[in-house]
Tab-separated table of all heavy atoms in Angstrom:
chain	number	residue	atom	x	y	z
A	19	MET	N	103.301	37.837	-103.370
A	19	MET	CA	104.218	38.678	-102.696
A	19	MET	C	105.511	38.649	-103.166
A	19	MET	O	106.391	39.562	-103.320
A	19	MET	CB	104.216	38.346	-101.180
A	19	MET	CG	103.004	38.484	-100.342
A	19	MET	SD	102.421	40.206	-100.418
A	19	MET	CE	100.987	40.130	-101.481
A	20	ILE	N	105.943	37.369	-103.647
A	20	ILE	CA	107.243	37.198	-104.272
A	20	ILE	C	107.288	37.983	-105.642
A	20	ILE	O	108.169	38.733	-105.864
A	20	ILE	CB	107.548	35.658	-104.548
A	20	ILE	CG1	107.735	34.923	-103.222
A	20	ILE	CG2	108.806	35.512	-105.461
A	20	ILE	CD1	107.616	33.440	-103.355
A	21	ARG	N	106.217	37.972	-106.362
A	21	ARG	CA	106.193	38.593	-107.674
A	21	ARG	C	106.222	40.184	-107.511
A	21	ARG	O	106.635	40.787	-108.422
A	21	ARG	CB	104.912	38.205	-108.407
A	21	ARG	CG	104.940	36.766	-108.952
A	21	ARG	CD	103.716	36.502	-109.710
A	21	ARG	NE	103.931	35.244	-110.482
A	21	ARG	CZ	102.996	34.430	-110.754
A	21	ARG	NH1	101.656	34.763	-110.470
A	21	ARG	NH2	103.150	33.321	-111.484
A	22	ARG	N	105.647	40.632	-106.453
A	22	ARG	CA	105.574	42.083	-106.172
A	22	ARG	C	106.905	42.694	-105.911
A	22	ARG	O	107.096	43.876	-106.001
A	22	ARG	CB	104.648	42.469	-105.128
A	22	ARG	CG	103.198	42.180	-105.462
A	22	ARG	CD	102.313	42.668	-104.355
A	22	ARG	NE	100.981	42.383	-104.622
A	22	ARG	CZ	99.886	42.695	-103.780
A	22	ARG	NH1	100.160	43.429	-102.763
A	22	ARG	NH2	98.635	42.432	-104.191
A	23	ASN	N	107.951	41.866	-105.515
A	23	ASN	CA	109.190	42.337	-105.112
A	23	ASN	C	110.139	42.321	-106.309
A	23	ASN	O	110.343	41.191	-106.866
A	23	ASN	CB	109.859	41.474	-104.012
A	23	ASN	CG	111.105	42.114	-103.498
A	23	ASN	OD1	111.900	42.618	-104.189
A	23	ASN	ND2	111.358	41.831	-102.211
A	24	PRO	N	110.694	43.499	-106.819
A	24	PRO	CA	111.470	43.336	-108.109
A	24	PRO	C	112.808	42.701	-107.877
A	24	PRO	O	113.508	42.366	-108.850
A	24	PRO	CB	111.743	44.884	-108.315
A	24	PRO	CG	111.602	45.562	-106.984
A	24	PRO	CD	110.574	44.738	-106.243
A	25	GLU	N	113.179	42.279	-106.588
A	25	GLU	CA	114.407	41.542	-106.376
A	25	GLU	C	114.222	40.018	-106.199
A	25	GLU	O	115.172	39.367	-105.829
A	25	GLU	CB	115.113	42.128	-105.194
A	25	GLU	CG	115.562	43.593	-105.376
A	25	GLU	CD	116.131	44.171	-104.271
A	25	GLU	OE1	116.373	43.556	-103.209
A	25	GLU	OE2	116.499	45.359	-104.239
A	26	THR	N	113.007	39.575	-106.363
A	26	THR	CA	112.734	38.122	-106.256
A	26	THR	C	111.902	37.593	-107.373
A	26	THR	O	111.243	38.333	-108.110
A	26	THR	CB	111.855	37.876	-104.934
A	26	THR	OG1	110.634	38.610	-104.945
A	26	THR	CG2	112.626	38.444	-103.659
A	27	GLN	N	111.936	36.321	-107.500
A	27	GLN	CA	111.144	35.682	-108.606
A	27	GLN	C	110.776	34.213	-108.198
A	27	GLN	O	111.533	33.512	-107.537
A	27	GLN	CB	111.904	35.723	-109.945
A	27	GLN	CG	113.219	34.884	-109.929
A	27	GLN	CD	113.958	35.045	-111.210
A	27	GLN	OE1	113.463	35.572	-112.266
A	27	GLN	NE2	115.193	34.581	-111.349
A	28	VAL	N	109.586	33.726	-108.752
A	28	VAL	CA	109.235	32.323	-108.583
A	28	VAL	C	109.854	31.608	-109.782
A	28	VAL	O	109.627	31.905	-110.882
A	28	VAL	CB	107.805	32.207	-108.529
A	28	VAL	CG1	107.350	30.716	-108.432
A	28	VAL	CG2	107.083	33.050	-107.429
A	29	VAL	N	110.753	30.591	-109.361
A	29	VAL	CA	111.406	29.798	-110.478
A	29	VAL	C	110.878	28.413	-110.516
A	29	VAL	O	111.256	27.611	-111.361
A	29	VAL	CB	112.898	29.857	-110.200
A	29	VAL	CG1	113.461	31.179	-110.402
A	29	VAL	CG2	113.273	29.161	-108.952
A	30	ALA	N	110.059	27.997	-109.543
A	30	ALA	CA	109.389	26.617	-109.567
A	30	ALA	C	108.166	26.533	-108.565
A	30	ALA	O	108.242	27.358	-107.580
A	30	ALA	CB	110.451	25.546	-109.144
A	31	ILE	N	107.239	25.740	-109.008
A	31	ILE	CA	106.119	25.489	-108.125
A	31	ILE	C	105.819	24.058	-108.039
A	31	ILE	O	106.207	23.225	-108.890
A	31	ILE	CB	104.926	26.275	-108.689
A	31	ILE	CG1	104.538	25.998	-110.140
A	31	ILE	CG2	105.049	27.797	-108.437
A	31	ILE	CD1	103.407	26.720	-110.756
A	32	CYS	N	105.138	23.657	-106.930
A	32	CYS	CA	104.900	22.276	-106.637
A	32	CYS	C	103.607	22.109	-105.902
A	32	CYS	O	103.300	22.852	-105.014
A	32	CYS	CB	105.997	21.747	-105.794
A	32	CYS	SG	105.926	20.090	-105.238
A	33	ASP	N	102.823	21.129	-106.354
A	33	ASP	CA	101.581	20.737	-105.714
A	33	ASP	C	101.234	19.345	-106.147
A	33	ASP	O	101.590	18.912	-107.184
A	33	ASP	CB	100.445	21.733	-106.123
A	33	ASP	CG	99.293	21.697	-105.079
A	33	ASP	OD1	98.455	20.749	-105.180
A	33	ASP	OD2	99.217	22.633	-104.237
A	34	VAL	N	100.419	18.723	-105.210
A	34	VAL	CA	99.990	17.275	-105.658
A	34	VAL	C	98.818	17.327	-106.660
A	34	VAL	O	98.592	16.406	-107.336
A	34	VAL	CB	99.589	16.539	-104.395
A	34	VAL	CG1	100.786	16.264	-103.464
A	34	VAL	CG2	98.407	17.192	-103.613
A	35	LYS	N	98.073	18.470	-106.704
A	35	LYS	CA	97.044	18.654	-107.695
A	35	LYS	C	97.605	18.883	-109.114
A	35	LYS	O	98.719	19.618	-109.179
A	35	LYS	CB	96.139	19.687	-107.349
A	35	LYS	CG	95.211	19.374	-106.174
A	35	LYS	CD	94.241	20.541	-105.919
A	35	LYS	CE	93.349	20.322	-104.726
A	35	LYS	NZ	92.481	21.357	-104.547
A	36	PRO	N	97.035	18.438	-110.115
A	36	PRO	CA	97.501	18.871	-111.456
A	36	PRO	C	97.491	20.379	-111.668
A	36	PRO	O	96.561	21.137	-111.136
A	36	PRO	CB	96.534	18.218	-112.381
A	36	PRO	CG	95.924	17.098	-111.614
A	36	PRO	CD	95.828	17.533	-110.216
A	37	LYS	N	98.503	20.932	-112.412
A	37	LYS	CA	98.566	22.403	-112.511
A	37	LYS	C	97.290	23.029	-113.142
A	37	LYS	O	96.938	24.032	-112.762
A	37	LYS	CB	99.817	22.683	-113.497
A	37	LYS	CG	100.091	24.118	-113.530
A	37	LYS	CD	101.261	24.343	-114.371
A	37	LYS	CE	101.689	25.862	-114.393
A	37	LYS	NZ	102.963	26.040	-115.153
A	38	ASP	N	96.631	22.306	-114.036
A	38	ASP	CA	95.386	22.884	-114.665
A	38	ASP	C	94.262	22.946	-113.693
A	38	ASP	O	93.237	23.698	-114.058
A	38	ASP	CB	95.074	22.176	-115.928
A	38	ASP	CG	94.696	20.681	-115.665
A	38	ASP	OD1	94.948	20.223	-114.526
A	38	ASP	OD2	94.295	20.118	-116.666
A	39	GLN	N	94.295	22.386	-112.502
A	39	GLN	CA	93.259	22.506	-111.619
A	39	GLN	C	93.422	23.482	-110.483
A	39	GLN	O	92.647	23.690	-109.634
A	39	GLN	CB	93.049	21.093	-110.889
A	39	GLN	CG	92.552	20.002	-111.688
A	39	GLN	CD	92.350	18.679	-110.971
A	39	GLN	OE1	92.384	18.687	-109.727
A	39	GLN	NE2	92.091	17.649	-111.666
A	40	LEU	N	94.649	24.191	-110.560
A	40	LEU	CA	94.936	25.084	-109.501
A	40	LEU	C	94.613	26.600	-109.756
A	40	LEU	O	94.808	27.378	-108.832
A	40	LEU	CB	96.549	25.046	-109.180
A	40	LEU	CG	97.056	23.647	-108.815
A	40	LEU	CD1	98.577	23.586	-108.733
A	40	LEU	CD2	96.452	23.363	-107.301
A	41	GLU	N	94.113	26.907	-110.864
A	41	GLU	CA	93.785	28.260	-111.261
A	41	GLU	C	94.815	29.277	-110.960
A	41	GLU	O	94.634	30.308	-110.249
A	41	GLU	CB	92.426	28.576	-110.495
A	41	GLU	CG	91.247	27.722	-110.845
A	41	GLU	CD	90.083	28.023	-110.072
A	41	GLU	OE1	89.979	29.034	-109.391
A	41	GLU	OE2	89.131	27.169	-110.135
A	42	LEU	N	95.994	29.057	-111.519
A	42	LEU	CA	97.188	29.832	-111.250
A	42	LEU	C	97.168	30.918	-112.384
A	42	LEU	O	96.789	30.673	-113.466
A	42	LEU	CB	98.490	29.064	-111.325
A	42	LEU	CG	98.585	27.971	-110.318
A	42	LEU	CD1	99.840	27.092	-110.590
A	42	LEU	CD2	98.677	28.564	-108.944
A	43	ILE	N	97.668	32.118	-112.013
A	43	ILE	CA	97.738	33.234	-112.939
A	43	ILE	C	99.257	33.379	-113.314
A	43	ILE	O	100.089	33.365	-112.445
A	43	ILE	CB	97.173	34.507	-112.230
A	43	ILE	CG1	95.803	34.295	-111.875
A	43	ILE	CG2	97.386	35.726	-113.179
A	43	ILE	CD1	95.205	35.461	-111.052
A	44	ASP	N	99.455	33.536	-114.639
A	44	ASP	CA	100.814	33.900	-115.141
A	44	ASP	C	101.976	32.838	-114.648
A	44	ASP	O	102.934	33.281	-114.197
A	44	ASP	CB	101.325	35.266	-114.605
A	44	ASP	CG	100.413	36.344	-115.171
A	44	ASP	OD1	99.843	36.153	-116.377
A	44	ASP	OD2	100.192	37.360	-114.586
Side-chain angles (χ1 to χ4, degrees):
M19 294 302 108
I20 294 164
R21 286 181 170 154
R22 289 184 185 186
N23 185 327
E25 297 177 4
T26 63
Q27 63 184 348
V28 177
V29 297
I31 52 180
C32 178
D33 199 284
V34 295
K35 289 184 181 177
K37 188 175 183 180
D38 61 352
Q39 291 182 14
L40 297 171
E41 300 177 11
L42 300 173
I43 299 169
D44 298 327

